[in-house]
Amino acid sequence: LDLSVDIAAKPAKTLPDAQTVTSVRHWTDRLFSFRVTRPASLRFRSGEFVMIGLPDDNGKPILRAYSIASPNWDEELEFYSIKVPDGPLTSRLQNIQPGDQIILRPKPVGTLVLDALLPGKRMWFLATGTGIAPFASLMRDPETYERYEQVVMMHTCRTADELAYGRELVENLRHDPLLGELYGEEFASRLLYYPTTTREESPLMGRITDNLTSGKVFADLNLPAMDAANDRAMICGSLAFNTDVKAVLEGFGLREGANSDPKEFVVEKAFVGDGI
Ligand code: FAD
């Protein structure tokens, strides 16, 4: 009996739920992004997260929640990650190279999905740090622009170099052939980008909460103030950020919704803990 054909067709996977890294890009000493193969059976809604990880020294998986940063039509999966110096997972994950394998549990979940919000005119994506990851997915999903006339991406980091991943993504989107074909030149006015820094001097500065409450972002983008009739929002950052932004949105009359009960905004943690 010759099994060699079968063996050649199905190479043994060294990890359960293994996927292969196809590219890695380091943005700063604290941030990197990478792409992996996508399991053929994996369906997800843009904005959802999965558990990914690596085995520890004893072969036991170290798994963490990660937002899928790529849109649901993409052949591969992209992730955008922090490097926590002593972090059980990211101290290892930051060393991955193309060809390496990671563990990916194919069970996507999450609240930052279009179905969790009522129809509206304008969608606000509000993120700090790696909290931009789910919006990197949603900004690249044509369905976002089918549902909303305008999308505003507010992203805040401590320093300007930490904005680079989001900045490049938005610039590439504005030249995206698919979206260009669908919306033409008008697309530039449909995806608005408002990057700010809190610790380093840059063209736009300040916390998202302050720029919303002062009205600066509305004035800068020539938009009316948020209201419950027109505006929808998704929030993704530290627990403190989420709590503060939630209060600001409620001040504008927006209510928190969920998959089972769509309203005007939804919230998800970008990580557990205080942040670094
Ligand atoms: P951990 O022991 O998990 O964390 C160590 C410390 O680092 C903690 O104090 C924690 O507060 C802080 N920390 C963890 N993650 C971050 C972060 N992203 N930004 C700032 N501080 C952080 N992380 C990503 O990098 N990208 C993602 O897309 C992402 N999506 C997530 C989605 C959800 C729903 C949740 C709950 C978490 C997500 N995280 C994401 C965080 C991720 O699960 C891990 O915490 C992170 O990869 C660090 O793992 P670790 O084992 O190295 O350290």
Side-chain angles (χ1 to χ4, degrees):
L1 186 67
D2 182 8
L3 293 173
S4 59
V5 174
D6 257 18
I7 290 166
K10 285 186 193 165
K13 295 221 163 174
T14 52
L15 299 170
D17 290 326
Q19 296 301 322
T20 304
V21 176
T22 58
S23 63
V24 183
R25 193 160 161 195
H26 293 269
W27 297 87
T28 72
D29 57 356
R30 295 179 65 243
L31 295 165
F32 70 115
S33 61
F34 58 96
R35 294 174 69 87
V36 303
T37 51
R38 176 174 175 171
S41 61
L42 177 65
R43 296 277 169 276
F44 66 97
R45 293 183 288 176
S46 295
E48 288 185 313
F49 68 88
V50 286
M51 302 301 291
I52 67 169
L54 289 171
D56 69 11
D57 293 337
N58 301 316
K60 197 174 156 282
I62 313 169
L63 292 169
R64 294 288 183 270
Y66 268 80
S67 296
I68 302 174
S70 46
N72 59 16
W73 50 260
D74 201 326
E75 278 172 22
E76 294 182 338
L77 298 174
E78 182 173 308
F79 298 97
Y80 181 51
S81 181
I82 190 85
K83 303 176 198 176
V84 182
D86 301 317
L89 178 63
T90 56
S91 60
R92 296 163 187 265
L93 192 66
Q94 61 179 285
N95 299 317
I96 55 169
Q97 305 281 345
D100 289 351
Q101 294 195 324
I102 66 157
I103 306 163
L104 189 148
R105 298 268 192 261
K107 294 197 178 58
V109 288
T111 55
L112 303 181
V113 292
L114 295 172
D115 288 338
L117 294 173
L118 295 171
K121 185 172 178 185
R122 197 173 297 112
M123 170 67 92
W124 294 79
F125 293 144
L126 310 174
T128 55
T130 59
I132 197 173
F135 307 133
S137 174
L138 284 156
M139 277 194 285
R140 289 185 274 189
D141 188 339
E143 190 169 353
T144 303
Y145 306 95
E146 277 161 33
R147 295 203 191 195
Y148 297 94
E149 276 174 38
Q150 268 183 327
V151 173
V152 188
M153 180 72 241
M154 289 183 82
H155 187 208
T156 297
C157 295
R158 298 176 314 172
T159 57
D161 60 352
E162 294 176 339
L163 293 166
Y165 173 80
R167 184 185 300 281
E168 188 177 299
L169 194 138
V170 169
E171 272 163 21
N172 286 340
L173 263 180
R174 288 188 168 146
H175 300 107
D176 181 79
L178 174 66
L179 292 168
E181 203 173 291
L182 287 172
Y183 306 112
E185 302 222 326
E186 173 213 2
F187 187 66
S189 63
R190 300 195 54 185
L191 174 59
L192 304 178
Y193 178 50
Y194 200 82
T196 64
T197 54
T198 51
R199 294 204 192 158
E200 189 185 31
E201 205 62 43
S202 76
L204 295 168
M205 293 197 59
R207 291 155 55 92
I208 285 175
T209 43
D210 294 338
N211 285 319
L212 287 171
T213 45
S214 69
K216 184 174 188 304
V217 60
F218 308 127
D220 285 348
L221 296 177
N222 201 15
L223 295 174
M226 269 191 199
D227 68 44
N230 295 302
D231 296 283
R232 303 293 172 259
M234 294 190 183
I235 309 171
C236 191
S238 67
L239 188 57
F241 172 79
N242 289 359
T243 307
D244 291 350
V245 177
K246 183 176 142 110
V248 171
L249 297 190
E250 285 170 350
F252 287 118
L254 280 63
R255 298 162 304 162
E256 182 171 358
N259 265 289
S260 53
D261 184 20
K263 288 200 173 98
E264 290 90 26
F265 75 89
V266 278
V267 182
E268 196 156 81
K269 284 194 287 283
F271 53 85
V272 178
D274 300 331
I276 50 170

